[in-house]
Tab-separated table of all heavy atoms in Angstrom:
chain	number	residue	atom	x	y	z
A	1231	LEU	N	-21.311	18.291	-10.424
A	1231	LEU	CA	-21.294	19.044	-11.676
A	1231	LEU	C	-19.877	19.194	-12.215
A	1231	LEU	O	-19.679	19.584	-13.362
A	1231	LEU	CB	-21.898	20.444	-11.444
A	1231	LEU	CG	-23.305	20.460	-10.819
A	1231	LEU	CD1	-23.743	21.883	-10.528
A	1231	LEU	CD2	-24.308	19.772	-11.742
A	1271	THR	N	-7.968	32.372	12.765
A	1271	THR	CA	-7.497	33.667	13.264
A	1271	THR	C	-7.013	33.548	14.707
A	1271	THR	O	-6.231	34.364	15.170
A	1271	THR	CB	-8.611	34.729	13.226
A	1271	THR	OG1	-9.809	34.135	13.697
A	1271	THR	CG2	-8.810	35.246	11.828
A	1272	TRP	N	-7.498	32.538	15.420
A	1272	TRP	CA	-7.058	32.379	16.807
A	1272	TRP	C	-5.628	31.850	16.859
A	1272	TRP	O	-4.834	32.240	17.700
A	1272	TRP	CB	-7.999	31.442	17.573
A	1272	TRP	CG	-9.370	32.034	17.748
A	1272	TRP	CD1	-9.797	33.242	17.251
A	1272	TRP	CD2	-10.475	31.462	18.434
A	1272	TRP	NE1	-11.106	33.439	17.604
A	1272	TRP	CE2	-11.551	32.374	18.325
A	1272	TRP	CE3	-10.673	30.268	19.131
A	1272	TRP	CZ2	-12.797	32.124	18.893
A	1272	TRP	CZ3	-11.903	30.026	19.696
A	1272	TRP	CH2	-12.957	30.952	19.577
A	1282	ASP	N	-12.967	15.563	0.975
A	1282	ASP	CA	-13.468	14.229	0.598
A	1282	ASP	C	-12.502	13.149	1.059
A	1282	ASP	O	-11.281	13.274	0.868
A	1282	ASP	CB	-13.542	14.095	-0.935
A	1282	ASP	CG	-14.760	14.785	-1.538
A	1282	ASP	OD1	-15.631	15.240	-0.787
A	1282	ASP	OD2	-14.812	14.851	-2.781
A	1315	GLN	N	-9.375	19.226	10.159
A	1315	GLN	CA	-10.826	19.228	10.317
A	1315	GLN	C	-11.561	18.686	9.093
A	1315	GLN	O	-11.033	18.686	8.001
A	1315	GLN	CB	-11.316	20.664	10.573
A	1315	GLN	CG	-10.783	21.243	11.843
A	1315	GLN	CD	-11.241	22.669	12.141
A	1315	GLN	OE1	-11.173	23.101	13.262
A	1315	GLN	NE2	-11.691	23.402	11.154
A	1320	ASP	N	-24.511	13.159	9.630
A	1320	ASP	CA	-24.913	12.594	10.918
A	1320	ASP	C	-25.315	11.113	10.860
A	1320	ASP	O	-25.204	10.406	11.852
A	1320	ASP	CB	-26.068	13.416	11.503
A	1320	ASP	CG	-25.587	14.774	11.989
A	1320	ASP	OD1	-24.367	14.930	12.200
A	1320	ASP	OD2	-26.425	15.677	12.152
A	1341	THR	N	-22.891	24.868	14.073
A	1341	THR	CA	-23.713	24.466	12.930
A	1341	THR	C	-23.189	25.176	11.689
A	1341	THR	O	-22.859	26.364	11.736
A	1341	THR	CB	-25.200	24.826	13.163
A	1341	THR	OG1	-25.662	24.092	14.291
A	1341	THR	CG2	-26.056	24.464	11.954
A	1344	ARG	N	-24.981	27.843	5.065
A	1344	ARG	CA	-24.611	28.014	3.664
A	1344	ARG	C	-25.588	28.951	2.955
A	1344	ARG	O	-26.798	28.825	3.094
A	1344	ARG	CB	-24.621	26.659	2.946
A	1344	ARG	CG	-24.326	26.773	1.449
A	1344	ARG	CD	-24.385	25.436	0.748
A	1344	ARG	NE	-23.284	24.573	1.134
A	1344	ARG	CZ	-23.191	23.277	0.787
A	1344	ARG	NH1	-24.143	22.710	0.070
A	1344	ARG	NH2	-22.159	22.568	1.177
B	1189	LEU	N	-4.040	32.812	20.188
B	1189	LEU	CA	-2.580	32.729	20.289
B	1189	LEU	C	-1.902	33.547	19.187
B	1189	LEU	O	-0.703	33.791	19.234
B	1189	LEU	CB	-2.135	31.268	20.166
B	1189	LEU	CG	-2.798	30.287	21.160
B	1189	LEU	CD1	-2.374	28.861	20.872
B	1189	LEU	CD2	-2.449	30.672	22.605
B	1229	THR	N	-15.547	19.571	-4.441
B	1229	THR	CA	-15.272	18.615	-5.523
B	1229	THR	C	-16.532	18.377	-6.359
B	1229	THR	O	-16.432	17.960	-7.503
B	1229	THR	CB	-14.824	17.246	-4.969
B	1229	THR	OG1	-15.637	16.919	-3.855
B	1229	THR	CG2	-13.375	17.288	-4.555
B	1230	TRP	N	-17.701	18.621	-5.767
B	1230	TRP	CA	-18.925	18.420	-6.540
B	1230	TRP	C	-19.103	19.533	-7.572
B	1230	TRP	O	-19.526	19.305	-8.685
B	1230	TRP	CB	-20.152	18.365	-5.616
B	1230	TRP	CG	-20.121	17.159	-4.739
B	1230	TRP	CD1	-19.143	16.203	-4.687
B	1230	TRP	CD2	-21.109	16.758	-3.795
B	1230	TRP	NE1	-19.468	15.250	-3.760
B	1230	TRP	CE2	-20.659	15.557	-3.205
B	1230	TRP	CE3	-22.336	17.293	-3.384
B	1230	TRP	CZ2	-21.393	14.886	-2.229
B	1230	TRP	CZ3	-23.071	16.635	-2.414
B	1230	TRP	CH2	-22.600	15.445	-1.840
B	1240	ASP	N	-14.376	34.618	10.353
B	1240	ASP	CA	-14.775	35.539	11.429
B	1240	ASP	C	-15.624	36.675	10.877
B	1240	ASP	O	-15.282	37.262	9.845
B	1240	ASP	CB	-13.534	36.208	12.048
B	1240	ASP	CG	-12.784	35.313	13.019
B	1240	ASP	OD1	-13.290	34.215	13.336
B	1240	ASP	OD2	-11.699	35.710	13.463
B	1273	GLN	N	-20.059	29.994	2.817
B	1273	GLN	CA	-20.335	29.194	4.015
B	1273	GLN	C	-19.636	29.715	5.258
B	1273	GLN	O	-18.654	30.438	5.167
B	1273	GLN	CB	-19.877	27.755	3.770
B	1273	GLN	CG	-20.635	27.079	2.664
B	1273	GLN	CD	-20.207	25.632	2.410
B	1273	GLN	OE1	-20.966	24.881	1.846
B	1273	GLN	NE2	-19.025	25.237	2.786
B	1278	ASP	N	-24.143	27.256	18.364
B	1278	ASP	CA	-25.565	26.983	18.511
B	1278	ASP	C	-26.294	27.930	19.463
B	1278	ASP	O	-27.496	28.140	19.328
B	1278	ASP	CB	-25.764	25.531	18.989
B	1278	ASP	CG	-25.469	24.536	17.879
B	1278	ASP	OD1	-25.464	24.948	16.701
B	1278	ASP	OD2	-25.231	23.351	18.189
B	1299	THR	N	-21.908	17.308	10.913
B	1299	THR	CA	-21.207	17.645	12.153
B	1299	THR	C	-19.731	17.855	11.823
B	1299	THR	O	-19.150	17.096	11.045
B	1299	THR	CB	-21.366	16.527	13.203
B	1299	THR	OG1	-22.747	16.423	13.529
B	1299	THR	CG2	-20.586	16.847	14.485
B	1302	ARG	N	-12.880	17.520	14.477
B	1302	ARG	CA	-11.543	18.127	14.557
B	1302	ARG	C	-10.561	17.201	15.255
B	1302	ARG	O	-10.874	16.628	16.304
B	1302	ARG	CB	-11.623	19.444	15.340
B	1302	ARG	CG	-10.247	20.093	15.533
B	1302	ARG	CD	-10.336	21.369	16.344
B	1302	ARG	NE	-10.992	22.429	15.599
B	1302	ARG	CZ	-11.345	23.613	16.141
B	1302	ARG	NH1	-11.121	23.853	17.421
B	1302	ARG	NH2	-11.938	24.523	15.396
Side-chain angles (χ1 to χ4, degrees):
Chain A
L1231 306 175
T1271 43
W1272 293 3
D1282 282 352
Q1315 297 180 161
D1320 288 341
T1341 297
R1344 176 182 291 171
Chain B
L1189 305 175
T1229 42
W1230 294 2
D1240 282 353
Q1273 297 181 159
D1278 287 342
T1299 297
R1302 177 182 290 172

